Amino acid sequence: MRIAFFGSSLVSAYWNGACTYYRGIVRALDARGHRVTFYEPDAFERQAHRDIDDPAWAEVVVYAPSDERAVRKVVAGAADADVAVKASGVGVFDAVLEEAVAELEGPEARIFWDVDAPATLASMEEETSERGQNPLRELIPAYEMVFTYGGGQPVIDRYLALGARSCTPIYNALDPETHHPEPPRPELACDLAFLGNRLPDREARVEEFFFSAVEALPQRSFLLGGNGWEDRVAGLGNVRYLGHVPPGDHNALNRSARAVLNVSRESMASNGWSPATRVFEATGAGACLITDEWQGLEDFLAPDEEALVARDGAEVAELLESLKPDRARAIGEAALERVLAEHTYDRRAEQVEAILTGVAAR
């Protein structure tokens, strides 16, 4: 089956949190015999910050989003695909892409793949006084299917209420070829590590779960990676700030920390059933995960056995203070066993393949 996939970027994780998800899904689909052409715009300096070359498991088409006409021409070039996918959050000409893919003649199925369902749904559910309904809201019924990065039944129900013909969560997962245990590095050793870009609907939760623990435990060492935190870490002697951390360094970082923190964005935490990329990166490396609490967590990892769960920053500090190396190692090993058995991208690609069984490949 030939799949045309319009997303943010497959080759650069720079300001692109969905990158690991894209790579895992696309690589697994290729391994199952499907061919994916990934269309990504030359935008946000991502091509200047590539962290992989064009992979053997996908054809990457980089286009210049100069104007609406140019973008529509790129979409028209995918008319011979069996399936066309428009992912949310491309970042440039999203509305044009959404309309062009929905109207594309040729593919047997057109899919809207939402990698940030809570934010997308909130936008669609708000009516504007100037333009009426959100343009995407009017297009959703034109797509044969909606896939989402997460969200569980609450997100499914909201999409169906907007006229979606179907809605299926394709949850985040582990790519064992990319994220796996590696030897720790002394220069990355710390008590708690957190990776995450500074984003508006995450910042308050990072303040609560990470920085409050930093302030409560001045004798402990913390490591922070991600874009945008330069001014926030100034003067914090127990925090080492790395800035952007290439995906190739994540395994060693996760193995070097006594524990790794996951902090969900506000919208994902409130909707639940949205395990972040960091959850599977950390557990795939065999690290001990401390995560904020969100509904549906137990469907992915068993609390206290495969992950530690905190309701606020005080509990993060308490868990960290009582966490002995032997227990941290046991939790990491149990989590790795669970995700390898149930939460790999191959399992997710198998799910996608089963859904698309009725789509005739030309």
Side-chain angles (χ1 to χ4, degrees):
M1 190 176 298
R2 290 175 295 176
I3 303 172
F5 203 119
F6 294 85
S8 53
S9 179
L10 192 69
V11 299
S12 176
Y14 188 71
W15 283 106
N16 180 27
C19 185
T20 299
Y21 180 71
Y22 289 148
R23 290 176 185 174
I25 292 287
V26 172
R27 189 204 298 265
L29 286 169
D30 177 78
R32 301 185 71 83
H34 307 290
R35 189 60 185 166
V36 177
T37 300
F38 195 97
Y39 296 84
E40 61 180 77
D42 186 358
F44 306 109
E45 300 184 8
R46 288 185 181 131
Q47 298 307 311
H49 292 84
R50 280 181 170 231
D51 49 86
I52 64 169
D53 296 325
D54 286 6
W57 35 268
E59 178 184 358
V60 177
V61 175
V62 180
Y63 62 93
S66 54
D67 54 38
E68 178 175 337
R69 182 178 177 182
V71 173
R72 288 186 177 276
K73 185 176 180 180
V74 171
V75 175
D80 63 346
D82 301 306
V83 176
V85 175
K86 164 59 175 73
S88 65
V90 171
V92 287
F93 288 102
D94 270 292
V96 174
L97 287 166
E98 286 152 7
E99 182 177 356
V101 172
E103 296 174 350
L104 184 63
E105 296 184 1
E108 295 292 323
R110 287 137 326 156
I111 299 171
F112 181 70
W113 201 319
D114 196 345
V115 297
D116 190 357
T120 306
L121 285 164
S123 177
M124 285 194 290
E125 289 164 348
E126 290 180 359
E127 304 220 345
T128 62
S129 57
E130 294 182 1
R131 298 183 61 184
Q133 292 183 339
N134 178 292
L136 177 59
R137 178 172 179 169
E138 299 174 1
L139 286 170
I140 285 298
Y143 286 91
E144 279 76 16
M145 306 171 192
V146 172
F147 290 165
T148 68
Y149 169 101
Q153 195 62 46
V155 161
I156 294 172
D157 292 341
R158 290 168 71 187
Y159 257 111
L160 294 180
L162 293 175
R165 304 188 203 180
S166 69
C167 178
T168 306
I170 310 295
Y171 291 114
N172 206 352
L174 169 69
D175 179 356
E177 293 188 29
T178 302
H179 298 290
H180 45 76
E182 285 188 5
R185 297 182 194 168
E187 70 273 17
L188 296 175
C190 62
D191 291 306
L192 185 68
F194 170 69
L195 292 178
N197 293 327
R198 193 174 189 176
L199 298 171
D201 74 338
R202 176 189 283 144
E203 186 168 1
R205 292 179 65 81
V206 174
E207 286 289 337
E208 172 59 43
F209 285 90
F210 181 73
F211 284 108
S212 65
V214 167
E215 294 171 1
L217 302 174
Q219 76 282 10
R220 297 297 180 184
S221 58
F222 296 82
L223 189 149
L224 174 63
N227 295 302
W229 300 103
E230 294 84 354
D231 63 312
R232 180 62 184 87
V233 298
L236 295 176
N238 59 339
V239 178
R240 282 177 289 161
Y241 178 53
L242 302 180
H244 175 66
V245 179
D249 291 333
H250 289 191
N251 292 333
L253 186 152
N254 289 328
R255 287 289 283 184
S256 301
R258 184 154 56 97
V260 175
L261 179 66
N262 172 67
V263 180
S264 304
R265 291 164 51 203
E266 177 61 42
S267 56
M268 289 188 172
S270 61
N271 279 267
W273 287 276
S274 298
T277 296
R278 305 296 174 232
V279 168
F280 294 108
E281 284 187 356
T283 54
C288 176
L289 179 71
I290 299 178
T291 181
D292 56 345
E293 188 177 42
W294 41 273
Q295 193 173 6
L297 169 63
E298 61 279 1
D299 289 350
F300 303 92
L301 295 166
D304 297 325
E305 298 175 9
E306 297 163 343
L308 298 175
V309 184
R311 290 171 294 183
D312 53 33
E315 287 197 357
V316 171
E318 181 180 335
L319 289 169
L320 192 61
E321 279 289 80
S322 63
L323 183 61
K324 303 300 182 184
D326 287 349
R327 187 174 186 223
R329 186 162 47 252
I331 290 172
E333 290 173 355
L336 176 58
E337 183 178 356
R338 172 78 177 273
V339 297
L340 285 174
E342 300 181 17
H343 301 302
T344 63
Y345 280 115
D346 184 62
R347 297 290 295 271
R348 306 300 191 242
E350 183 180 9
Q351 179 188 6
V352 171
E353 185 179 70
I355 295 169
L356 297 179
T357 297
V359 177
R362 287 184 296 228

